[in-house]
Amino acid sequence: MSLNFRHVKYFVATATLGQVSRAAKELSISQSAITSAIKELEAETGTRLFDRTAHGMELTDAGRRFLAAGYRILASIEEALHPGTTDDELSGTLSVAASYTVLGYFLPQHLERLERRYPNLRIQLYELSREMIEDGLVTNRFDMAVVLTSNVNNPELVTETLMSSQRRLWLPAGHPLLGGGRVRFADIAAEPYIMLTVDEAAHSALKYWNRSSHQPNIRLRTSSIEAVRSTVANGQGISILSDMVYRPWSLEGKRIETVVMAEEVPPMNVGLAWRQGVDLTPAMKLFRGYFAEVYQTPQSMLPR
């Protein structure tokens, strides 16, 4: 068996949606076709890409690495198959707001591709908090936003989730919780906890902590993801954060390991937002269409 487009497409859809059944529905194919493709892909790569759990399909460390490559592969194939989509006559400015996490860990590679595809389109970026982004969209100061859609609840806005990033427990190498199977909130409640605060991360964390009968033993609150990374890697605490911001090494070169929680922890969803009822400009449609192609958003959802 040799790797082909179908394997990558089915893998990315399953990883993004978290369940074979949901991926099959979105792609309008059978679940068995996806299951077979994933098994073939795992055989070809020689490693397990998913853990099959009661909650769905959870990416392994190898799966997370392959997912990043999978997005790049699909984007490259789409560009190769549709070279005529480059529109040199499209010009103007598209104002796009983004939150700190999105701008730092999600958008840069896409901005480079958009600039290459539409050289006369100027994307003006603004880094703001969710509240300021929502207000800016409602008052037409921004055309669109790329945000953590799991945090948006303004009824005047339309949101479209592109990807879901699983949250896992971050631990320093050699931590006792690494060898004991699935970990529960009860297991980590007594551990020193590093609470990230940027982009309402603390609020999101406390929502799923409050569904348990335990509370985190907070040692440090910080708005810096790198501070969390270094503090965890140096054995000063643990944290629950998303795969999107995960890197296996701290700035000091120390290893950070991850564990899937036994109890449900909601993913961090990333996507687009715009004002309800607004007529999408050609630039807005292209921006939305680009992300639909890369993240396999159902084409029926695109404006016609």
Side-chain angles (χ1 to χ4, degrees), residues 4-52:
N4 60 43
F5 172 74
R6 176 177 60 86
H7 293 100
V8 178
K9 182 176 181 179
Y10 293 1
F11 166 82
V12 168
T14 304
T16 302
L17 296 169
Q19 294 179 340
V20 170
S21 58
R22 292 181 61 193
K25 182 178 180 181
E26 294 289 1
L27 297 172
S28 298
I29 59 174
S30 68
Q31 294 186 38
S32 61
I34 292 183
T35 301
S36 297
I38 291 173
K39 288 181 179 178
E40 291 172 359
L41 185 57
E42 290 179 324
E44 182 73 8
T45 58
T47 187
R48 193 177 75 258
L49 300 175
F50 288 104
D51 285 326
R52 283 75 169 168

Side-chain angles (χ1 to χ4, degrees), residues 172-250:
H175 195 282
L177 290 178
L178 287 169
R182 303 294 287 277
V183 180
R184 298 182 175 276
F185 286 111
D187 300 318
I188 65 176
E191 298 278 342
Y193 194 87
I194 313 303
M195 180 67 81
L196 184 68
T197 59
V198 72
D199 277 350
E200 303 173 283
H203 176 70
S204 298
L206 290 176
K207 282 198 296 186
Y208 54 75
W209 270 95
N210 287 337
R211 290 202 294 265
S212 76
S213 57
H214 305 278
Q215 290 296 307
N217 176 26
I218 300 174
R219 179 174 189 173
L220 171 68
R221 295 177 184 269
T222 177
S223 62
S224 168
I225 295 174
E226 291 305 325
V228 176
R229 203 185 317 279
S230 290
T231 306
V232 170
N234 281 282
Q236 301 303 301
I238 62 179
S239 190
I240 298 175
L241 289 175
S242 78
D243 283 350
M244 192 177 80
V245 301
Y246 172 74
R247 304 292 183 272
W249 305 99
S250 70

Side-chain angles (χ1 to χ4, degrees), residues 121-162:
L121 174 65
R122 179 172 177 261
I123 298 178
Q124 180 64 56
L125 283 174
Y126 301 87
E127 181 190 320
L128 297 165
S129 67
R130 175 185 61 82
E131 293 90 344
M132 296 180 70
I133 291 173
E134 291 184 3
D135 181 69
L137 289 172
V138 170
T139 57
N140 293 320
R141 292 202 305 275
F142 311 124
D143 297 315
M144 301 190 83
V146 187
V147 293
L148 305 183
T149 54
S150 43
N151 292 349
V152 176
N153 53 19
N154 190 321
E156 296 184 74
L157 300 179
V158 176
T159 61
E160 190 167 271
T161 295
L162 300 170

Side-chain angles (χ1 to χ4, degrees), residues 99-136:
S99 60
Y100 170 87
T101 305
V102 169
L103 195 56
Y105 293 87
F106 178 79
L107 261 183
Q109 62 175 326
H110 299 297
L111 293 173
E112 186 272 333
R113 291 173 186 154
L114 282 161
E115 182 178 318
R116 188 169 66 247
R117 185 181 297 187
Y118 307 112
N120 295 325
L121 174 65
R122 179 172 177 261
I123 298 178
Q124 180 64 56
L125 283 174
Y126 301 87
E127 181 190 320
L128 297 165
S129 67
R130 175 185 61 82
E131 293 90 344
M132 296 180 70
I133 291 173
E134 291 184 3
D135 181 69

